[in-house]
Amino acid sequence: MNHHAAPHAAHGATEHDPDDGHGPGRDHEPDHGTDSGPGHDHDQADLLDLDAEVLAGHLADIVASLPVGPALRRVVDLGCGTGAGTFALLARFPDAEVTAVDSSADHLRRLREKAAASGTAGRVRTVQADLDAPWPDLTAPDLVWASASLHHMADPGRTLRRVRELLAPGGLLAVVELAGFPRFLPVDAPEERPGLEERCHAASERQHAEHVPHRGADWGAMLTAAGFTVEHQRTVSVHLDGAADPAVGRYALQSLRRMRGSAAPVLDAGDLAALDRLLDTEGPDSILKRADLTVRTERTVWAARRTGESGGDPT
């Protein structure tokens, strides 16, 4: 998140909700902690990049399942992060141009660098904006993609009404939200502190409940209240074997590092010591040296159509 923006500006989406602190600007959502400081955006961007690398196949499947034709021309990625959704959308819709919106200048810089490297720079426009403030001109897109970003908004209902007004008539809003942060360790690990990861998640989620109150909201009902017609809803379960992908270990390491900031004040001394042994990349118990890692998580997808007349003032 851009620390000069409002606390609920959106980032984009990683699987962990990179702001979770992913503020509005989060695929995502990769932030298990609420760390701040000069390196926060950079660390969050690294986690978003790992999230995109590990979960690319699942993201492509979600985009492919959207009830839209391949000839879309105008797409907006709200809370784009470092571009996981943006590049999946560019691949799915070869004639489309994507406007990528985020509150973090560092995330947008990385996205532009990736676009230049992939030859898609001419199809991407980046916009730095706090989506809780007045919106910039985003044209009238055929599709708006919001992955792991809406729950960071100060007033998600207002944001949904704004999106409805923004969309071209008959346009589609795709909302992707996380059922929870990914798990990586076996439930009986580590041997000396079984269940450590679940205790870390419990501690972190208590903090998120206070700072990110809209996570886990009934988005189907909120979409309907904002004037959308929900055409499609499904939950995607992810279970990836870490032995087949070396990026999983780095993903787990970065994720648990971020979670440590919010969990540390709650964990007992034994749990904190065990967590630090997992995070010590030079030590014998490093999570990078484990052969039993998996990625386990769920994402729910809603596809909602702009139909009929406006339901009211979006502001």
Side-chain angles (χ1 to χ4, degrees), residues 152-169:
H152 292 288
M153 304 297 172
D155 184 348
R158 178 183 63 187
T159 300
L160 291 174
R161 294 191 296 274
R162 284 176 167 176
V163 171
R164 190 184 182 283
E165 294 298 316
L166 174 68
L167 278 166

Side-chain angles (χ1 to χ4, degrees), residues 33-300:
T34 55
D35 302 346
S36 61
H40 176 75
D41 267 13
H42 181 80
D43 291 346
Q44 187 180 83
D46 287 344
L47 184 53
L48 285 166
D49 285 347
L50 281 167
D51 184 270
E53 179 180 352
V54 171
L55 299 169
H58 292 274
L59 182 58
D61 176 68
I62 288 172
V63 173
S65 73
L66 298 177
V68 289
L72 287 186
R73 294 300 182 96
R74 297 180 305 277
V75 180
V76 169
D77 182 358
L78 286 182
C80 60
T82 59
T86 295
F87 293 106
L89 292 161
L90 289 170
R92 172 70 176 85
F93 305 111
D95 297 323
E97 294 184 356
V98 177
T99 298
V101 185
D102 200 276
S103 63
S104 167
D106 184 58
H107 292 177
L108 294 175
R109 176 188 57 77
R110 287 201 188 199
L111 192 155
R112 287 191 296 270
E113 290 173 352
K114 293 179 189 178
S118 65
T120 58
R123 298 173 57 203
V124 177
R125 176 172 73 107
T126 59
V127 176
Q128 185 177 2
D130 174 359
L131 294 176
D132 282 330
W135 285 18
D137 180 12
L138 299 175
T139 69
D142 305 302
L143 171 66
V144 171
W145 170 268
S147 177
S149 56
L150 288 179
H151 67 267
H152 292 288
M153 304 297 172
D155 184 348
R158 178 183 63 187
T159 300
L160 291 174
R161 294 191 296 274
R162 284 176 167 176
V163 171
R164 190 184 182 283
E165 294 298 316
L166 174 68
L167 278 166
L172 191 79
L173 167 61
V175 175
V176 184
E177 286 288 334
L178 310 178
F181 298 137
R183 269 63 172 171
F184 299 96
L185 293 166
V187 294
D188 58 353
E191 289 185 5
E192 73 278 19
R193 306 294 290 189
L196 170 65
E197 188 174 31
E198 285 305 314
R199 292 191 293 278
C200 290
H201 280 281
S204 183
E205 288 171 7
R206 282 198 295 273
Q207 184 183 76
H208 291 148
E210 177 182 352
H211 295 288
V212 193
H214 301 297
R215 189 156 61 85
D218 185 350
W219 295 103
M222 293 182 72
L223 286 161
T224 300
F228 286 96
T229 299
V230 178
E231 294 188 353
H232 169 86
Q233 177 181 343
R234 71 173 180 134
T235 297
V236 178
S237 296
V238 177
H239 194 290
L240 297 175
D241 182 359
D245 185 353
V248 168
R250 301 194 306 274
Y251 186 37
L253 175 67
Q254 194 79 346
S255 300
L256 290 176
R257 277 178 174 169
R258 290 194 64 79
M259 189 185 299
R260 187 190 186 284
S262 56
V266 179
L267 295 177
D268 66 28
D271 275 351
L272 189 58
L275 178 58
D276 285 339
R277 287 192 292 273
L278 287 170
L279 299 180
D280 178 5
T281 58
E282 302 300 323
D285 299 320
S286 169
I287 198 167
L288 295 177
K289 297 179 181 178
R290 298 189 69 101
D292 57 359
L293 299 179
T294 57
V295 182
R296 308 182 303 280
T297 189
E298 289 185 346
R299 296 193 248 194
T300 302

